[in-house]
Every structure is written in structure tokens, then in C-alpha cells.
Amino acid sequence: MDILISNWSNVEFVPKTYIFPPESRPGKLEFPICNDIPLIDLAHNNSDETIQQVIRACQEFGFFQVINHGISENLMDDTMNIYNELFKLPSEYKAKFYSNDTNKSCKIFSSTLAYDTEEVHYWRDTFTHRCNPLEEHIPSWPDKPTNYREVVSEYSIETRKLLNKILDMICKGLGLNLGYFEGELSKAHLISVNHHIPCPNPSLTLGMPAHSDPNLITMLQQGEVPGLQILKDGKWIGVKHIPHTLIIIPGLQLKVISNDRFITPVHRVVTHPKEARTTIGVFLVPSPEFLIKPATTLIQTVPVFRDFTYPEFLETFVDRRPGKIKFPVCHDIPLIDLANNHPNDAIQQVIKACQEFGIFQVINHGVCENLMDDTMNIYKEFFKLPSEYKAKFYSNDINKSCRLCSSTLAYDTEEFHYWRDNFTHHCYPLEEYIMTWPNKPTKYREVVSEYSIETRKLLYKILDMICKGLGLEKGYFEGELSKTNVISVNHHIPCPNPSLTLGMPVHSDPNLITLLQQCNVPGLQILKDGKWIGVQPIPHAIVVIPGLQLKLS
Ligand SMILES: O=C(O)CCC(=O)C(=O)O
Ligand SMILES: [Fe+2]
């Protein structure tokens, strides 16, 4: 079992397959140490003050450490010793557990589960298994070291209690019903232990990739050997270990449920030149079928995330980088001619497109080509205006009707920025809003008011067709359902490396219905059958996206 690094001895140099390219290796040995990770004393875990400390840590830092957490120092030490012994067991014993199968609960693997296909390996072995329900999983656990099952079952019971205690505090702090996270949201309980042998050149290797924990919540018990680093303000900073404290990381599911109030920092593990390092991680993970979404009471205006199951999340949200630049182009997005001589045919096409595709394009839509071009030119000029002029509109305030922002409104707290500027304002009723609009380029108000009137007409034409097609009474979508009318313009400058960036996150439109006018530069992609496919701009066609409200209707 040469794959497992814990079987290696007398390692004098780093094998080639463990050397990261210069842009992703740590490159140096010394990193600043973070001294301001919140340290929370859980002795009075029901006090408002402690609850507020936890909430603040989740909002401002993401990580925190706990003391007086209720897990005895003896149990912590016994468990750490068990794992250190486990990794030293003869390679034949460990080989019985070796597997790269995601579905196998109890296994040992090296680097990642993609060992056979990854270009560079991480300097670690990982031993992992499920813990809940105990009776079901214990028989699959190792029987060596001899007291493994006894010690690790106690450890898993105590760590689950601790994580539930912290989740209860988060419930209280966020004003959620007590027990909100119990059951499906925290169904699976896993232990995952990383072991890194000393590495002859830590500047070339990594013990774990940069990642955010995708699960609900994580607890880490560190040994004395440092290695964990977090990315803060664009810099890697070492986490200093305080003996017998535990590190708590709210995972990405908590970020989603909190409707983006919480942050989940990016972290990684570097290797050590002299000492072996072992870290015990305990993870609570949602069950695969359960629909996860922002808590209703935490949505002030719109949910920041759509509903998804955990497996879907892992597929679409975690690996957010496009990774490759060339995507297949979709040639079968329905293209509907609104001047069809048989209006009923067009209606049927619209309904079919909404049901089967969810997005379609229209031609002969009634918005004249000159007006479309003029409006596009106005916005191209707008984004080129001097930065002092644009600065007047800059705002991250969701309540401001006319605003310019970059990336998202959460610019100040988001981990990564999207490669876009966005200009948004209300258009209806015109008289109420036009005064808030820019007066440059000089024709802005004139052109954009005509554009907003014409596009609003088109929206109602399409909504009427949907009414007819669904057999709803005429005017069903008029009035309150389509009261506000917003124009939102995205501008992306050329990007030196599109494989690393995104112009806009993965999302579904939360509103009633959206019209998109694209210029001739492609960029829009839709997720179809699990694959990203490009939407090819057709000159002067308009893309129509029925929003989530229409889905509800
Ligand atoms: O080994 C560590 O310190 C960190 C482990 C970790 O981040 C993880 O397992 O998700
Ligand atoms: Fe992690």
C-alpha cells in the first residue's frame, strides 16, 4: 500500500506527484499567525451574551474556538492517541479499509477520493466513517487499536452533544424555532481524521486543498503541530492551537440557511518539516433528500439562495469555478416568433417552452431594433463615464432604487467577487422614478423611458399568452403580481482568465418574469441535465426567463 503516506518511511525528498505548480504551492515556510480568532467560553452557553458571541463570530469571522465545551480532556487525549496509533498499524491491516468509493462509510484513503485522476496529490491520509446511528455503524469500524470502538463511540456521542448545543445557540441567536437544525439537516454525523507525515519540503506541498466546509457545521480537534491556515483579506494566516480548545466552523449550509448572514472561510492545511500531524474532524451533514433553503424568517426581501438538495449543492455550488472556457453551445433553446399568423400556435410554444425548457427567445417582439441598439449604446457609454460621476450612484443599499454596485450587494462580506458591475433602477411608475435616473449620457432618460415602456408592453404580451395558455382569467398577472418593474444592466470588462472567474453566480430568477437583451458577446449559460451550456446571442432576439414566482403561480 504505497499509496498511503502513513506507510512510508525515511522520506528524504518530495516525490514529483506531490509538488504543486508555483501558483498553488505555499511557496514559503513562515506565515503570520492569527491571534484574533474568537475564543468563546461555553460555561454559560444559555446566556444571551455567549449566544451573541457565537452569532457575531459566525457573521464576522466564520471560525471560532470554544473552551469549557463539555468534552473531557481525557477523552480528547484518548481519542487523539487512538488515531495516532491507527495510522501506525501495519499496512496490511489498513489495506482492508482502503477505498475511494464515496458510498463506503468506513474507509482510509490518501490525498482525495480522486487519487487516480488528480494531477497532484495532497500530503495526507484520511480515515473516515459515519457515527450515527451508532449501533448501525459500529460493526464497520476498526477493532484495532483494541479500545477503538469504545473510545470513539463515547467521543462521537459527546461531540454530537456539543455540536447540537452550539446549533441550539445559533437557533436562539437567529430567532429560529428551537430544534430547527435537528433531524434531516444534521442527519449524518461523520468523523474524518487527517494524518500528515513530516514532509521534507513543506513549501512545495499541501496537506489539504483550499476549501470551505460544504456541510452544516464542523468541529476540529487539533494536535500540537500547526498546519491549518485560513484565507483572510486575501492572505493565508496560520491558526494557532490552544491545547484542549476545539475549533468550530459553520459550514456552507449554515450560510445558506442564515440567508447569507454567516460566512464560511476558505481554509487549507500546510505540511510540517519535522513532525507528523493529526487532526480529528467531526461533521454534521444534511440527509441527501432534504430540501435546504434560507429560513423563511430570515428572508427580508429575497432569498439569496435557491432551494436545493445537498448532493445538488455539492455539484453546482461548491465547484463554482467554470474551470474550462469552452462550453457546448445550446442550439435548441426555443425561438418563438411573436408575429406568428396563428396566435394559438405561439401560445402553445410559449407554454411548452416554460414547461420543458424554462427559457426561450422571442423575435418579432415589437420592441424596435433601433430602440434596442440605442439603449445598449446608452449603457455602454454609461459604464465608460468618469468614475466620479458613477460614484454618485454607488450603493450596496438594497432599498435604494437607483444604484450601481460591483459583484453583489454583499461585496463587503462575500469571499469571492463576481467579475461585473451592475446598474439597477426602478422604471414603474415612470414619473415617480425618472428623477432618480442618471442625466448622462444626455439621452439617458429619454431613451430608457421609451425602452421601459416598450419592454413592459412586451412583458404583458407574454404574460397574456401565458394566461391564455394556462386558462387563467385575463389580467391574472396584472396589478400586484407585476407591480414593480426594474431594469438591471450587467457590465463585464474583458477578463484575463475566464476559467477562474464568474460574471454572475449560479441562480434562478426569483421574480415573476425577466427579459434579457444580450449584446453580441456570449456569457450566459444554463444548467441543463447537470451540464453548463452557453446561450448563443441572436441579434435583436430577446431572451425570456419565467421566474420562480411564475413557477409558483
Ligand atoms: O486538518 C485540519 O486542520 C483541517 C481539516 C479540514 O479543514 C477539513 O477536514 O475540512
Ligand atoms: Fe475544512
Side-chain angles (χ1 to χ4, degrees), residues 82-100:
I82 290 268
Y83 282 111
N84 279 325
E85 280 176 49
L86 177 99
F87 284 104
K88 283 194 212 124
L89 287 173
S91 79
E92 304 76 55
Y93 185 76
K94 285 183 283 181
K96 293 196 224 173
F97 295 93
Y98 184 81
S99 171
N100 279 337

Side-chain angles (χ1 to χ4, degrees), residues 91-153:
S91 79
E92 304 76 55
Y93 185 76
K94 285 183 283 181
K96 293 196 224 173
F97 295 93
Y98 184 81
S99 171
N100 279 337
D101 180 354
T102 30
N103 297 318
K104 190 158 185 268
S105 146
C106 183
K107 58 181 172 265
I108 192 168
F109 61 90
S110 197
S111 183
T112 74
L113 294 180
Y115 188 92
D116 296 333
T117 52
E118 68 197 8
E119 272 166 37
V120 186
H121 303 308
Y122 295 92
W123 194 266
R124 71 155 176 177
D125 287 347
T126 297
F127 184 72
T128 180
H129 61 61
R130 289 172 179 261
C131 303
N132 185 44
L134 262 180
E135 325 72 74
E136 187 179 311
H137 292 289
I138 281 185
S140 70
W141 296 1
D143 49 8
K144 285 183 194 166
T146 40
N147 48 353
Y148 186 100
R149 296 183 180 182
E150 184 190 332
V151 174
V152 176
S153 27

Side-chain angles (χ1 to χ4, degrees), residues 514-542:
T514 306
L515 294 184
L516 288 181
Q517 175 182 341
Q518 305 195 75
C519 68
N520 50 7
V521 183
L524 176 65
Q525 298 189 328
I526 57 173
L527 189 62
K528 195 150 191 296
D529 306 327
K531 291 206 180 65
W532 287 106
I533 309 183
V535 178
Q536 185 68 32
I538 301 175
H540 296 115
I542 291 182

Side-chain angles (χ1 to χ4, degrees), residues 417-517:
H417 303 308
Y418 294 94
W419 192 270
R420 72 153 175 182
D421 288 345
N422 173 274
F423 185 62
T424 295
H425 63 61
H426 283 250
C427 301
Y428 186 83
L430 255 183
E431 325 72 75
E432 190 176 314
Y433 289 110
I434 206 168
M435 297 314 292
T436 66
W437 296 3
N439 49 12
K440 286 185 197 167
T442 38
K443 290 194 139 178
Y444 189 101
R445 295 184 183 179
E446 185 189 329
V447 174
V448 176
S449 37
E450 192 182 341
Y451 186 78
S452 66
I453 292 169
E454 294 304 316
T455 49
R456 194 169 166 90
K457 276 191 209 152
L458 172 58
L459 282 171
Y460 278 115
K461 177 150 62 177
I462 296 168
L463 287 172
D464 261 358
M465 295 172 79
I466 295 177
C467 265
K468 288 195 186 123
L470 292 179
L472 296 171
E473 67 210 68
K474 193 166 155 44
Y476 187 91
F477 297 108
E478 276 165 34
E480 298 301 317
L481 272 176
S482 56
K483 187 110 183 190
T484 42
N485 184 345
V486 174
I487 191 161
S488 173
V489 184
N490 285 332
H491 179 71
H492 318 269
I493 61 167
C495 171
N497 191 343
S499 77
L500 302 177
T501 57
L502 279 172
M504 247 189 115
V506 176
H507 69 285
S508 298
D509 284 357
N511 51 305
L512 185 67
I513 187 164
T514 306
L515 294 184
L516 288 181
Q517 175 182 341

